[in-house]
Amino acid sequence: MIPPQEASARRREIEDKLKQEEETLSFIRDSLEKSDQLTKNMVSILSSFESRLMKLENSIIPVHKQTENLQRLQENVEKTLSCLDHVISYYHVASDTEKIIREGPTGRLEEYLASMAKIQKAVEYFQDNSPDSPELNKVKLLFERGKESLESEFRSLMTRHSKVVSPVLILDLISSEEELEVQEEVPLEHLPEGVLLDVVRISRWLVEYGRNQDFMNVYYQIRSSQLDRSIKGLREHFRKSSSASGVPYSPAIPNKRKDTPTKKPVKRPGTIRKAQNLLKQYSQHGLDGKKGGSNLIPLEGRDDMLDVETDAYIHCVSAFVKLAQSEYQLLMEVIPEHHQKKTFDSLIQDALDGLMLEGENIVSAARKAIARHDFSAVLTVFPVLRHLKQTKPEVDQVLQGTAASTKNKLPSLIASMETVGAKALEDFADNIKNDPDKEYNMPKDGTVHELTSNAILFLQQLLDFQETAGAMLASQETSSSATSYNSEFSKRLLSTYICKVLGNLQLNLLSKSKVYEDPALSAIFLHNNYNYILKALEKSELIQLVAVTQKTAERSYREHIEQQIQTYQRSWLKVTDYISEKNLPVFQPGVKLRDKERQMIKERFKGFNDGLEELCKIQKAWAIPDTEQRDKIRQAQKHIVKETYGAFLHRYSSVPFTKNPEKYIKYRVEQVGDMIDRLFDTSA
């Protein structure tokens, strides 16, 4: 049970808290009343503000809309005025530009093109907005007139400033590759720089705005003419230089052996001139003598004009490559890319066709030369063909993108030349074999036959064209080995061919030698020809080429030469047999000779003397051009005769076989030797 004091205290505490709560509640009620009052006041204010805003909005919005409409109207007016000004300007384009268009673009291309741009825009405007207006026809006519003037200006610039390239400049351009290590090649300036810029601008305008491609035809026709005339001028330069001085200006490099590939143009000593030099060289070494006849036309009789034409053609081919390359560089600047190949194809046709026609003329001339057995003339095909094959990679590169018919022209010409060259080689070999044995054509002194010298000189020429000649022969092969053609195969084919010619020549010489009634002269004839062939082979690379397929050729010729010497020496047996020991009468020293024995000795002396005189008289007119061989044969014969005669003379000079010994002992041993020393000496 709680004590009364605590209960009283507890109650007072509760009563105090209750009083405090009541006071708090009363404060809250007052606050709520004030808040309600404030809320009512705020609502009243907001309502009043809303009402005012609505009134303001109702007043301003119409004003704003009216202002916006006014601004739009102002902008429309400004645009309309601007458009009117723009449209009105199109109506003045014709009058503003007519004078400029009438006077043409010469000297003021920039201004002219600006006027053409204005006219172009006027045409587009009237076509889109007023296709039936007379103004459209006016600006159209003005545009067409302006375009025609630009086309005319393009033609005029190209015609006036396109110049033929001089022959000396072309030759310097061809030979400039020799100096590439020292200085860069300077390109040709076909058009002055300022003119080229104008031409390029006109070209681009005509393509982009003029929708015109006729100027491309104008371009290729003009440039084609210049290219063709430049090459023809070079050819004429060669002819004039040759007629004036005999030697055309030719800065290109000398010819190389074995067709060494080179991009440099070929400067050859004339094919026939070289043959003449070889002939003189062999003459100096005693390998040549007086010629007999042959139906082969002599190499040394050829006209040097053939060499001039050949050199000219070779240089013209090189010139075409260089000039065509230069033309394509110019064309790339002037002609749109997708028209370049076609235009270039048309541009080079005249010059290329001219070269191909000349090449075919060379082939045709070679065929005619073959028909008349003038194989020296056929030699002109070899340097031309070699140069064409060396130049073919560059030509192929130049002709990239051209029509197939254009690309096939050079291969077709090369094939024709290979065919006619192979025909010439085969016919030459057959002609060597079948050259007729005509007695009146044979050399009376047994010297080298013209057939031999011509055959050797012809083969000598092939040394400069080994790969070319090998390719000619390979082009006619149908075996599988021909398809895998290489330099070794070429060398073997050429070696086989040379051996065939030499074999045919040997057979023919044997046949010709039978024309001589005297076996000794026949032997001298064969000796001279075999010796000439051997020395000619040894003095050149022919012997190495022959050895590719015939290792014993040199030894075989030496054996043939020795065999003919022995045959010749047998001609002296009828002289030495009179005084040989086996035919001498046997007698005892101190015993008087019988009449029969004396008569036999007299007959021996007389037979020797008559035989010696007859042989010396006949053989003195024979010829052995090779000094070394001539001395060798003389010495050998002199040794045999002097030794035999010396022994005979020693034996019988003191024998009293006659009362007139000077009648029979006509020659001393030294005199016999001197007589033999004068053999084969037509000048004695």
Side-chain angles (χ1 to χ4, degrees):
M1 189 166 177
I2 302 174
Q5 292 179 347
E6 290 185 8
S8 177
R10 180 71 173 169
R11 187 172 53 244
R12 282 195 299 277
E13 183 179 348
I14 291 170
E15 289 175 354
D16 290 338
K17 286 184 179 181
L18 181 61
K19 186 178 179 181
Q20 289 177 358
E21 292 294 334
E22 289 176 349
E23 289 175 356
T24 300
L25 181 61
S26 176
F27 176 75
I28 290 172
R29 285 194 187 102
D30 292 339
S31 296
L32 286 172
E33 289 177 359
K34 288 180 180 179
S35 178
D36 289 340
Q37 186 62 40
L38 289 172
T39 298
K40 290 178 181 178
N41 292 338
M42 182 58 69
V43 169
S44 175
I45 292 170
L46 288 173
S47 297
S48 175
F49 185 68
E50 182 181 7
S51 174
R52 291 180 180 181
L53 281 176
M54 287 180 69
K55 289 180 180 180
L56 181 61
E57 183 178 356
N58 291 333
S59 300
I60 289 181
I61 284 177
V63 174
H64 174 71
K65 288 182 178 180
Q66 186 176 7
T67 303
E68 190 177 42
N69 289 335
L70 289 173
Q71 289 176 341
R72 188 177 296 111
L73 288 172
Q74 184 179 359
E75 289 176 0
N76 289 339
V77 169
E78 290 175 353
K79 287 181 179 179
T80 301
L81 291 174
S82 176
C83 287
L84 285 173
D85 290 339
H86 185 65
V87 169
I88 291 170
S89 69
Y90 288 130
Y91 284 86
H92 291 90
V93 164
S95 58
D96 292 343
T97 60
E98 186 175 7
K99 181 181 178 182
I100 296 173
I101 299 304
R102 185 175 61 251
E103 292 175 353
T106 304
R108 52 173 179 178
L109 183 62
E110 187 76 28
E111 181 184 4
Y112 194 88
L113 291 179
S115 297
M116 289 298 293
K118 293 178 181 178
I119 298 170
Q120 172 73 12
K121 289 179 181 178
V123 170
E124 293 172 354
Y125 170 78
F126 289 121
Q127 283 178 336
D128 293 339
N129 298 283
S130 184
D132 298 326
S133 64
E135 285 77 8
L136 175 59
N137 292 331
K138 186 182 293 186
V139 291
K140 267 188 173 181
L141 288 173
L142 197 58
F143 182 81
E144 289 301 320
R145 188 191 305 169
K147 186 170 71 171
E148 289 174 2
S149 294
L150 284 172
E151 292 171 3
S152 177
E153 178 69 5
F154 182 89
R155 180 188 293 274
S156 175
L157 289 173
M158 291 298 303
T159 303
R160 283 188 288 115
H161 297 282
S162 290
K163 305 296 182 184
V164 173
V165 184
S166 71
V168 173
L169 184 58
I170 294 175
L171 289 169
D172 288 339
L173 183 67
I174 294 172
S175 63
S176 65
E177 291 188 5
E178 291 182 70
E179 305 167 4
L180 285 180
E181 297 176 0
V182 181
Q183 60 183 16
E184 292 186 3
E185 181 180 335
V186 179
L188 285 174
E189 185 182 73
H190 293 289
L191 297 172
E193 185 177 356
V195 173
L196 178 58
L197 289 175
D198 286 351
V199 167
V200 171
R201 292 196 64 185
I202 295 173
S203 164
R204 290 175 181 172
W205 189 93
L206 289 173
V207 171
E208 187 174 354
Y209 301 108
R211 304 291 189 270
N212 185 304
Q213 297 182 7
D214 291 342
F215 77 94
M216 298 180 196
N217 296 332
V218 171
Y219 177 87
Y220 91 69
Q221 289 167 1
I222 293 173
R223 295 308 308 169
S224 175
S225 174
Q226 301 305 323
L227 175 61
D228 191 41
R229 289 169 60 194
S230 296
I231 294 175
K232 287 178 179 176
L234 177 63
R235 187 182 306 113
E236 191 62 28
H237 171 76
F238 268 82
R239 290 171 180 167
K240 288 182 179 178
S241 298
S242 174
S243 61
S245 64
V247 181
Y249 168 69
S250 176
I253 66 165
N255 172 30
K256 293 187 176 183
R257 286 267 192 218
K258 300 182 180 178
D259 293 347
T260 305
T262 173
K263 292 184 179 179
K264 298 177 182 178
V266 178
K267 176 187 177 184
R268 304 171 303 106
T271 302
I272 310 308
R273 288 193 293 273
K274 184 171 181 182
Q276 292 172 336
N277 293 336
L278 285 169
L279 190 60
K280 290 176 183 176
Q281 175 186 345
Y282 292 141
S283 237
Q284 292 167 358
H285 287 82
L287 292 182
D288 197 16
K290 292 184 293 183
K291 298 291 181 293
S294 169
N295 69 344
L296 284 174
I297 295 176
L299 290 174
E300 63 269 27
R302 286 283 319 284
D303 189 350
D304 284 350
M305 276 308 296
L306 258 179
D307 290 316
V308 173
E309 292 297 326
T310 301
D311 287 338
Y313 184 72
I314 286 174
H315 282 80
C316 285
V317 171
S318 295
F320 170 78
V321 173
K322 288 296 181 185
L323 293 177
Q325 289 172 340
S326 182
E327 285 292 344
Y328 192 72
Q329 294 298 319
L330 176 65
L331 180 141
M332 284 195 299
E333 295 188 61
V334 179
I335 304 299
E337 184 176 357
H338 53 288
H339 293 285
Q340 289 173 0
K341 294 295 184 182
K342 182 179 178 181
T343 305
F344 182 70
D345 195 344
S346 301
L347 189 155
I348 62 172
Q349 284 303 314
D350 286 348
L352 183 59
D353 286 344
L355 288 175
M356 294 303 105
L357 179 60
E358 277 199 64
E360 289 298 339
N361 289 340
I362 291 173
V363 172
S364 178
R367 290 196 182 100
K368 293 176 182 177
I370 294 171
R372 64 178 184 269
H373 294 165
D374 182 8
F375 296 102
S376 58
V378 179
L379 289 171
T380 57
V381 172
F382 286 76
V384 172
L385 176 58
R386 177 177 63 183
H387 188 68
L388 289 179
K389 295 181 79 171
Q390 289 175 350
T391 312
K392 185 176 180 298
E394 288 183 275
V395 175
D396 289 344
Q397 186 176 8
V398 168
L399 300 183
Q400 276 184 352
T402 57
S405 59
T406 303
K407 294 178 183 176
N408 290 334
K409 288 181 179 179
L410 181 59
S412 176
L413 178 59
I414 288 175
S416 295
M417 287 194 171
E418 285 188 332
T419 300
V420 77
K423 169 73 172 169
L425 292 175
E426 290 304 318
D427 281 16
F428 179 78
D430 292 341
N431 197 79
I432 292 296
K433 181 179 180 180
N434 301 320
D435 187 65
D437 306 323
K438 297 178 181 177
E439 184 174 353
Y440 62 86
N441 275 338
M442 294 295 289
K444 305 299 183 183
D445 56 3
T447 190
V448 178
H449 198 280
E450 190 174 52
L451 178 71
T452 303
S453 60
N454 279 350
I456 292 299
L457 289 174
F458 185 86
L459 295 180
Q460 282 282 355
Q461 299 310 298
L462 298 186
L463 285 176
D464 288 330
F465 310 104
Q466 291 184 37
E467 289 188 10
T468 302
M472 287 177 176
L473 296 170
S475 69
Q476 306 304 305
E477 292 286 322
T478 56
S479 62
S480 58
S481 59
T483 58
S484 57
Y485 169 74
N486 54 45
S487 59
E488 187 61 31
F489 178 67
S490 164
K491 184 177 286 189
R492 291 192 66 82
L493 276 179
L494 189 56
S495 175
T496 301
Y497 172 77
I498 291 173
C499 291
K500 177 182 177 181
V501 171
L502 293 175
N504 289 349
L505 178 60
Q506 187 172 339
L507 290 173
N508 198 310
L509 290 173
L510 280 170
S511 177
K512 288 182 185 302
S513 68
K514 296 175 183 177
V515 171
Y516 296 110
E517 295 179 359
D518 191 335
L521 180 55
S522 177
I524 290 297
F525 171 76
L526 290 175
H527 164 273
N528 284 333
N529 283 272
Y530 290 157
N531 184 64
Y532 180 93
I533 294 169
L534 177 60
K535 290 296 178 66
L537 293 177
E538 290 177 333
K539 286 180 178 295
S540 67
E541 296 177 19
L542 279 173
I543 194 65
Q544 290 89 349
L545 202 52
V546 168
V548 172
T549 53
Q550 283 195 10
K551 305 292 184 184
T552 62
E554 186 175 359
R555 185 181 68 190
S556 176
Y557 273 110
R558 293 193 187 283
E559 290 174 353
H560 288 320
I561 291 169
E562 190 59 37
Q563 181 182 352
Q564 298 309 318
I565 292 175
Q566 293 173 7
T567 301
Y568 162 75
Q569 288 176 341
R570 285 197 288 272
S571 68
W572 282 84
L573 289 177
K574 62 183 179 181
V575 176
T576 56
D577 277 353
Y578 280 107
I579 57 175
S580 62
E581 190 173 349
K582 64 181 179 180
N583 294 325
L584 295 178
V586 180
F587 62 91
Q588 296 296 327
V591 178
K592 185 178 179 180
L593 297 176
R594 291 174 295 179
D595 291 342
K596 182 179 180 180
E597 290 174 338
R598 286 196 298 270
Q599 185 61 33
M600 184 177 292
I601 293 173
K602 290 178 182 179
E603 289 176 358
R604 294 289 182 267
F605 269 106
K606 186 176 186 306
F608 172 78
N609 292 335
D610 291 347
L612 176 66
E613 291 169 358
E614 181 184 1
L615 281 185
C616 287
K617 180 181 178 181
I618 293 172
Q619 295 184 9
K620 187 176 71 171
W622 297 354
I624 299 179
D626 188 330
T627 305
E628 182 182 343
Q629 286 291 312
R630 183 169 64 237
D631 291 343
K632 175 184 174 182
I633 292 173
R634 281 173 176 172
Q635 290 301 321
Q637 198 59 53
K638 186 167 65 172
H639 175 75
I640 294 171
V641 176
K642 284 179 66 177
E643 184 177 328
T644 306
Y645 181 64
F648 177 77
L649 195 61
H650 176 73
R651 186 167 187 172
Y652 291 103
S653 61
S654 58
V655 175
F657 65 91
T658 180
K659 293 180 180 179
N660 300 307
E662 66 278 0
K663 178 180 178 180
Y664 297 98
I665 306 175
K666 295 175 65 174
Y667 303 105
R668 301 189 308 275
V669 174
E670 291 73 16
Q671 286 179 306
V672 171
D674 291 342
M675 292 172 70
I676 295 175
D677 278 337
R678 288 194 292 272
L679 297 180
F680 317 117
D681 186 1
T682 55
S683 64

